[in-house]
Amino acid sequence: MATEQIQHIQKFIGEEGQKWAAEFIAFRRSWLASKKIDASGELSSSLQSEINDQVQGEVVEILMEFADHGRYIDMRRLKPAAGGGEYLNMLIEWMQRKGLEQRFIAGFVRRHNLNKAPQDVLNRAAWGIIKKRSLGRPRRRTWYNKPKSRGITDLFNRVAAGLLDITATDLVDQLKSK
């Protein structure tokens, strides 16, 4: 009888966890889109969750995952690469990957009142980004860590409220059977 009740509770916690994870991911995706943080869509599409109830004992585990670069957005202190060509090339590749290449070129031509863009315009734009980041603190956006903590509190409250109903029902059933 006790194992049946434990399985019932485990099933409830797994279902609540699944609902919570789906809602959390949907909210994070909409927040990223509203703040235009993830222009390529790679971070949003990489958000995934998995419910694992096959852990030791009566534990239900919720695993969340996303692309590695998502952590850099959320970190308070971000030390840029040591510098040099690697960092510069990384920024140029980022501009190309995001499709911002033409925007940087047009802005450079307009700002410097040129007829034609120089060959190394992306290199110059990358140097501008490096210079700006080294002079001031980069702006951090807490897209994951703080909302995750609030979300876990919400999940805990949901489970605690639901467990009261389940245990009350199980207790009534036990008393009726005796």
Side-chain angles (χ1 to χ4, degrees):
M1 190 74 170
T3 58
E4 184 179 308
Q5 292 164 342
I6 290 172
Q7 288 174 346
H8 189 229
I9 290 172
Q10 212 172 3
K11 181 182 174 197
F12 167 74
I13 293 173
E15 289 170 354
E16 279 299 314
Q18 196 123 29
K19 283 190 270 183
W20 175 83
E23 290 172 9
F24 181 78
I25 288 174
F27 286 139
R28 292 297 87 210
R29 284 181 177 157
S30 67
W31 189 86
L32 286 170
S34 71
K35 299 294 182 183
K36 298 179 181 165
I37 291 176
D38 191 26
S40 67
E42 185 180 334
L43 180 58
S44 292
S45 63
S46 71
L47 283 166
Q48 295 178 3
S49 69
E50 180 182 328
I51 307 296
N52 185 6
D53 56 0
Q54 302 302 321
V55 189
Q56 299 173 1
E58 294 82 32
V59 177
V60 176
E61 183 179 53
I62 301 173
L63 305 171
M64 304 289 280
E65 63 181 45
F66 51 85
D68 289 339
H69 70 276
R71 288 297 298 147
Y72 296 121
I73 294 170
D74 202 44
M75 291 169 67
R76 286 182 186 232
R77 290 179 51 202
L78 175 63
K79 293 183 180 178
E86 281 182 37
Y87 189 44
L88 195 64
N89 291 334
M90 181 190 72
L91 285 171
I92 292 170
E93 289 172 17
W94 172 81
M95 286 185 250
Q96 292 169 340
R97 188 175 60 245
K98 292 261 188 171
L100 301 171
E101 196 172 357
Q102 292 304 316
R103 189 173 168 195
F104 276 108
I105 292 171
F108 186 87
V109 168
R110 186 177 57 249
R111 189 173 300 117
H112 294 288
N113 202 16
L114 300 172
N115 293 331
K116 183 181 174 191
Q119 293 282 32
D120 64 343
V121 69
L122 290 181
N123 190 358
R124 292 181 186 192
W127 272 110
I129 292 170
I130 291 171
K131 187 175 177 183
K132 183 173 180 171
R133 287 193 67 158
S134 65
L135 293 177
R137 286 183 59 192
R139 188 174 73 199
R140 297 286 168 244
R141 297 179 173 138
T142 55
W143 77 276
Y144 179 75
N145 226 7
K146 283 185 181 179
K148 175 198 63 165
S149 298
R150 284 190 301 262
I152 289 172
T153 302
D154 177 49
L155 175 62
F156 180 78
N157 291 337
R158 285 185 196 183
V159 169
L163 283 178
L164 289 174
D165 295 336
I166 290 174
T167 52
T169 307
D170 287 344
L171 183 61
V172 168
D173 291 345
Q174 278 184 351
L175 291 174
K176 282 182 183 178
S177 67
K178 288 186 179 189

